[in-house]
Amino acid sequence: MRITAVSTAVIEANFDWTIVRIDTDEGISGLGEAFFSPGLTAIIRELTPLLIGRRPEHVERHVRRLQLLTAHGSAGGGVIHHAISGIETALLDLNAKSLDIPLWRLLGGKFREKVRVYADCHAGAPLESYGSVLQARPTPWLQSDEQPSRGVALEADDFATHARSTVKAGFTTMKFDLDLPREAHEDGWSRRIGSMLVERQVEIAEAIFDAVGHDAEVAFDLHWSYAAIDALGLARRLEHLPILWLEDPCPPDNVEALARVARNTTVPIATGENQYTRVAFADLITRGGVDVVTPDPQKIGGLLELRAIAALADTWALPIAPHNISSPIGTVANAHACASVPNFIALEWHSSGVPFFDALVGRADDPVIQNGHIALSDEPGIGVELDLDVCRRHARAGEPFFA
Ligand code: MG
């Protein structure tokens, strides 16, 4: 079997879902997904000649070769790793299909039949849509009078209502943004929290825990917003609550700052969605910068890289909770990898507000996520296939569509 084509399609959802397809001369194809980025599909096109004519079986060798030729083998290659991630998963999917086995079997088998998914509830408001450079755009599936109003600071009651409805939808795990809109800061650039904002953050967190009671676990995301000392002050003010994790309290580049926060609070600190490859995670973990490791499989280099990072975390007795903003292709692929490692808490799901999430893989009547879990089937490969008509309807203009 030889690789004959590598192609992409971009679906305009809450983010640009970038799907990678790899075809072979035996008629077997595989699907993967890469984390959005400006110029991403052009990079994948540049990498394609490195794969054409090669045997798809040697997945790790292809990944290592692409890493060496583009990122010089280091974690510093940025967007290159997004492209490689999509290619890696497409190769795994097509290999599993050619063996007629589910992907989880290629990854070492399952620790669990169903993979727990946590609902990303944002800041309690309706879902927004962002382009490749994170500029908010009109949400494609909403009419002009239904567009979410941006930058509005919601009240604690709004968060509590959203938390209750998420429990009702069957989720036992959820996450809210606690870095409130910039307008609420005295200065959105300073990385300060300020005493008034801390009081609002604590009030919102308490309201959410009051709302969910013992029915769900709750994490909070701070999106790298704060100075270490301010983030630490907030974490300590939240210690009376059973917080699952507090995510990305300060900028991701400085492990010492993260370690300062992590070492000085009982609230578990989560980070990892901005790191690439096991090399960066080794540094983060060994220097004590993280309690809950949150790699993004569509960024780090793919599902095998996720397994390597999970093994590294497990050596330090740390759990993983992968970051995920993918379409159902990336999300279910990630679920296979999450089922295959012991130290797993929950997989993120960012798309409860995207009305065509299930229809994209022909599952409108049989949702991919049910009662807050993904059940892995014995279908070959990832086990979900694109409905190309639905994909075409939501394809981003100006991007190739598996051409
Ligand atoms: Mg996050």
Side-chain angles (χ1 to χ4, degrees):
M1 186 161 57
R2 300 281 169 174
I3 296 169
T4 53
V6 179
S7 57
T8 57
V10 178
I11 310 297
E12 201 172 292
N14 49 334
F15 299 105
D16 281 347
W17 290 337
T18 305
I19 313 292
V20 179
R21 190 175 84 195
I22 299 185
D23 299 316
T24 62
D25 57 1
E26 293 191 7
I28 298 172
S29 302
L31 294 173
E33 185 162 349
F35 192 98
F36 73 88
S37 149
L40 175 61
T41 56
I43 292 172
I44 294 169
R45 278 195 297 281
E46 292 261 340
L47 298 180
T48 296
L50 299 169
L51 295 161
I52 298 295
R54 292 181 183 269
R55 291 173 56 165
E57 294 96 319
H58 308 299
V59 181
E60 296 213 60
R61 197 170 87 191
H62 290 311
V63 167
R64 182 59 63 97
R65 181 164 171 266
L66 293 177
Q67 286 173 341
L68 288 170
L69 291 172
T70 56
H72 311 293
S74 85
V79 178
I80 289 289
H81 294 294
H82 302 200
I84 293 172
S85 303
I87 290 166
E88 186 253 25
T89 302
L91 288 172
L92 288 175
D93 182 41
L94 90 79
N95 278 300
K97 282 174 182 157
S98 82
L99 295 167
D100 202 28
I101 58 172
L103 181 53
W104 54 260
R105 280 190 60 191
L106 269 193
L107 299 173
K110 287 184 283 194
F111 279 90
R112 50 195 72 81
E113 296 302 317
K114 285 190 204 169
V115 172
R116 185 157 75 144
V117 170
Y118 76 84
D120 190 311
C121 301
H122 327 290
L127 193 66
E128 297 182 23
S129 183
Y130 295 92
S132 66
V133 285
L134 276 184
Q135 294 299 296
R137 61 188 172 194
T139 303
W141 54 87
L142 295 180
Q143 303 298 320
S144 55
D145 60 343
E146 301 169 330
Q147 294 295 326
S149 42
R150 301 181 191 281
V152 175
L154 294 180
E155 298 301 322
D157 282 350
D158 301 314
F159 282 84
T161 303
H162 199 133
R164 266 190 295 269
S165 69
T166 305
V167 170
K168 223 170 176 185
F171 289 91
T172 57
T173 332
M174 65 187 79
K175 184 172 82 184
F176 284 89
D177 297 345
L178 207 52
D179 54 325
L180 301 177
R182 297 287 176 187
E183 285 80 351
H185 292 54
E186 43 191 288
D187 176 346
W189 298 101
S190 68
R191 299 201 195 286
R192 275 202 71 217
I193 297 182
S195 56
M196 281 118 69
L197 188 56
V198 169
E199 296 313 316
R200 283 209 62 215
Q201 289 168 314
V202 173
E203 181 198 354
I204 287 167
E206 287 175 344
I208 292 168
F209 275 98
D210 277 348
V212 303
H214 297 297
D215 295 330
E217 297 187 282
V218 183
F220 294 106
D221 200 339
L222 298 177
H223 297 103
W224 330 279
S225 300
Y226 301 126
I229 189 67
D230 287 40
L232 180 57
L234 172 62
R236 286 188 166 175
R237 284 294 312 278
L238 295 170
E239 283 180 353
H240 64 294
L241 299 170
I243 293 172
L244 184 56
W245 70 72
L246 189 62
E247 183 168 315
D248 288 320
C250 37
D253 331 87
N254 190 318
V255 177
E256 288 306 321
L258 285 164
R260 180 181 181 193
V261 180
R263 283 201 194 97
N264 290 294
T265 177
T266 57
V267 177
I269 298 301
T271 190
E273 68 180 77
N274 299 83
Q275 311 291 350
Y276 295 98
T277 83
R278 67 197 79 177
V279 179
F281 284 89
D283 188 46
L284 189 61
I285 290 169
T286 55
R287 289 162 70 191
V290 61
D291 299 301
V292 176
V293 188
T294 61
D296 186 309
Q298 278 66 51
K299 268 186 171 180
I300 51 173
L303 306 181
L304 296 170
E305 198 65 30
L306 181 73
R307 280 181 50 80
I309 291 162
L312 187 65
D314 198 38
T315 313
W316 266 261
L318 297 175
I320 66 161
H323 181 253
N324 171 54
I325 58 160
S326 301
S327 81
I329 297 296
T331 299
V332 180
N334 294 344
H336 282 267
C338 291
S340 81
V341 300
N343 50 331
F344 164 77
I345 299 178
L347 173 67
E348 183 164 12
W349 185 47
H350 223 289
S351 311
S352 58
V354 180
F356 52 85
F357 183 85
D358 293 302
L360 215 53
V361 288
R363 296 277 298 267
D365 298 327
D366 178 24
V368 169
I369 297 166
Q370 298 186 17
N371 279 321
H373 290 78
I374 295 174
L376 293 174
S377 74
D378 289 331
E379 295 294 313
I382 296 172
V384 287
E385 286 298 330
L386 293 172
D387 181 324
L388 291 177
D389 292 333
V390 178
C391 290
R392 224 175 256 114
R393 274 206 290 283
H394 299 284
R396 185 171 164 181
E399 282 285 348
F401 187 82
F402 298 130

